[in-house]
Amino acid sequence: MAFHFDSSPNEQVMADLRGLSHLNKEQLVELSHLTLVFVAQLSKDFSTDVASFSSKYQMNMKPLKNLLRSYIVFFRGSISQQLTEVQLTNDLTEIGVTAENAAAVCEKWKEFSPALAQAAASRTLRVNELLDMEWRFGVTSANSDLEQVGSTFLQLKLVLDKGSHRENVFMELTLPQFYQFLSDIEKAKTVLDLFS
């Protein structure tokens, strides 16, 4: 069966997510809150929060951790697929959650959506963070192709933080390509400024 959050989800993830149907509304809303706080990177001490939830509802930690791991996969997939509330509700009801409980989860989803979008953007940007940039501007003075003589170009050296290492990326752009690149960077900056 195809879901909106993942077209072919892992069988173990699906088996764990079916455990959501055994929770009452209060438990499901609190578990959703706990999971969304973690996914949005707002949690100070996730382990303590999970232990507190486990003791409050007298749940075994091992199945709870499996359920949480799969619920995190569910919400991260929902973020990356940019699911609407209707799609989220459909996925939850297909998993076995009642319509009333699915609606309550969607309310939490709506409450956390700005923080989730910001966390997703920061996670993406942190992996490919630009550390340094060098550039050189030039004019072609000699070439076997006469049309190329006198054309301008820009050479860029970007140093990116790839998480575990730094990577140098070299680019050579014509002037029109550079202006398109600059336009794209300005658009990206505008979008990021919206989230911060």
Side-chain angles (χ1 to χ4, degrees), residues 129-183:
E129 183 178 358
L130 179 64
L131 299 175
D132 191 21
M133 181 173 87
E134 296 176 19
W135 60 275
R136 284 190 298 187
F137 182 75
V139 177
T140 305
S141 59
N143 193 325
S144 59
D145 184 4
L146 191 56
E147 291 179 14
Q148 293 293 322
V149 175
S151 64
T152 56
F153 63 89
L154 182 76
Q155 292 178 333
L156 293 173
K157 175 187 172 189
L158 307 174
V159 181
L160 302 178
D161 182 1
K162 289 292 196 176
S164 61
H165 66 284
R166 292 181 178 188
E167 182 179 323
N168 293 330
V169 177
F170 299 93
M171 299 182 347
E172 185 169 319
L173 305 170
T174 64
L175 209 49
Q177 288 173 326
F178 170 71
Y179 284 126
Q180 181 62 46
F181 175 70
L182 185 61
S183 171

Side-chain angles (χ1 to χ4, degrees), residues 85-102:
E85 291 176 47
V86 172
Q87 291 170 320
L88 190 74
T89 302
N90 288 344
D91 279 359
L92 287 168
T93 53
E94 286 293 324
I95 289 168
V97 175
T98 65
E100 179 186 355
N101 288 354

Side-chain angles (χ1 to χ4, degrees), residues 11-107:
E11 288 180 29
Q12 184 60 48
V13 168
M14 291 309 299
D16 293 338
L17 287 175
R18 285 189 195 94
L20 294 172
S21 63
H22 301 299
L23 301 177
N24 64 37
K25 185 176 178 179
E26 178 188 350
Q27 292 170 328
L28 185 59
V29 168
E30 192 170 333
L31 185 69
S32 299
H33 179 85
L34 182 71
T35 308
L36 289 167
V37 164
F38 175 78
V39 172
Q41 301 173 344
L42 302 172
S43 179
K44 302 282 188 248
D45 190 6
F46 187 63
S47 303
T48 304
D49 296 341
V50 171
S52 172
F53 180 88
S54 172
S55 65
K56 179 178 178 180
Y57 294 108
Q58 298 159 355
M59 297 177 80
N60 189 336
M61 279 297 280
K62 186 172 173 30
L64 178 60
K65 283 184 179 181
N66 290 338
L67 177 59
L68 276 168
R69 191 174 306 116
S70 296
Y71 211 24
I72 290 168
V73 168
F74 172 79
F75 280 124
R76 284 191 173 153
S78 300
I79 293 166
S80 68
Q81 297 300 320
Q82 300 175 348
L83 297 190
T84 64
E85 291 176 47
V86 172
Q87 291 170 320
L88 190 74
T89 302
N90 288 344
D91 279 359
L92 287 168
T93 53
E94 286 293 324
I95 289 168
V97 175
T98 65
E100 179 186 355
N101 288 354
V105 171
C106 282
E107 284 300 313

